[in-house]
């Protein structure tokens, strides 16, 4: 008996959405795979480097992986029994670690009208925005003062706080 099949298997990744951001490393991959011809034979996935291919039951959701704390580029392959191959990719970011900010200066009291400050910052994946808030107790005195964030995932911000009297 001769079987003729030139149709590639279908792969549909329903979640996560491509280029989405997640605050957990346990992102569930919802995937469906099918083949209208001879049936699926082998299904594989690989993360980032493509060096290691992981086999899994075709069409089974991936629910137990703690993905890398970074950008994850996943590739899925489905192969049918006659060797027709298809692949699909999804990229998502996991970021569970908060940024770290260290106030380097000022320290102590200042008696001038101009108080310089320096803040060092690090974040695994870089910064979305940097905002200064001046507080007195629990009340905000100056809000939403934008600062230029360091490029990359670490750096420092310098600025000056001007202080004036009421008279």
């Amino acid at each position: 008996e001769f079987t003729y099949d030139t149709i590639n298997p279908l792969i549909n990744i329903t979640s996560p959405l491509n280029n989405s951001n997640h605050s957990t490393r346990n992102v569930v991959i919802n995937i469906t795979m099918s083949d209208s011809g001879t049936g699926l034979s082998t299904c594989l996935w690989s993360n980032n480097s493509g060096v290691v291919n992981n086999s899994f039951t075709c069409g089974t959701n991936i629910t137990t992986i703690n993905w890398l704390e970074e950008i994850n580029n996943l590739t899925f392959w489905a192969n049918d029994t006659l060797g027709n191959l298809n692949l699909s990719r999804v990229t998502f970011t996991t970021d569970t670690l908060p940024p770290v900010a260290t106030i380097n200066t000022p320290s102590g009291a200042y008696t001038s009208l101009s108080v310089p400050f320096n803040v060092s910052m690090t974040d695994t994946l870089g910064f979305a925005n940097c905002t200064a808030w001046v507080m007195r107790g629990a009340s905000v005195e100056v809000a939403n003062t934008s600062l230029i964030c360091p490029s990359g995932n670490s750096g420092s911000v310098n600025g000056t706080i001007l202080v004036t009297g009421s008279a």
Side-chain angles (χ1 to χ4, degrees):
E1 177 179 324
F2 177 75
T3 303
Y4 183 75
D5 177 9
T6 60
I7 300 172
N8 291 336
L10 298 175
I11 302 173
N12 184 24
I13 303 168
T14 57
S15 72
L17 296 176
N18 201 37
N19 297 316
S20 57
N21 297 309
H22 302 270
S23 59
T24 179
R25 290 181 55 207
N26 187 18
V27 176
V28 173
I29 310 298
N30 288 321
I31 187 167
T32 57
M33 300 173 150
S34 62
D35 185 68
S36 61
T38 59
L40 294 170
S41 169
T42 307
C43 294
L44 304 168
W45 68 268
S46 182
N47 191 11
N48 293 345
S49 69
V51 174
V52 177
N53 292 330
N54 304 284
S55 63
F56 71 107
T57 302
C58 296
T60 302
N61 294 334
I62 298 175
T63 61
T64 60
I65 304 291
N66 278 322
W67 302 105
L68 299 173
E69 179 80 17
E70 61 181 39
I71 297 171
N72 290 273
N73 297 298
L74 303 183
T75 303
F76 293 88
W77 293 271
N79 192 7
D80 70 15
T81 57
L82 291 179
N84 296 309
L85 180 67
N86 197 3
L87 67 87
S88 186
R89 293 186 172 101
V90 66
T91 298
F92 62 92
T93 302
T94 58
D95 187 4
T96 63
L97 303 173
V100 175
T102 304
I103 299 173
N104 300 313
T105 58
S107 60
Y110 275 76
T111 57
S112 66
L113 297 177
S114 174
V115 180
F117 68 89
N118 174 272
V119 179
S120 297
M121 295 180 267
T122 61
D123 185 64
T124 307
L125 298 173
F127 306 98
N129 64 58
C130 300
T131 304
W133 296 76
V134 177
M135 307 286 290
R136 178 174 47 182
S139 69
V140 176
E141 297 295 320
V142 177
N144 294 329
T145 302
S146 294
L147 303 172
I148 297 173
C149 293
S151 61
N153 62 354
S154 67
S156 63
V157 173
N158 296 300
T160 303
I161 299 171
L162 298 175
V163 181
T164 60
S166 60

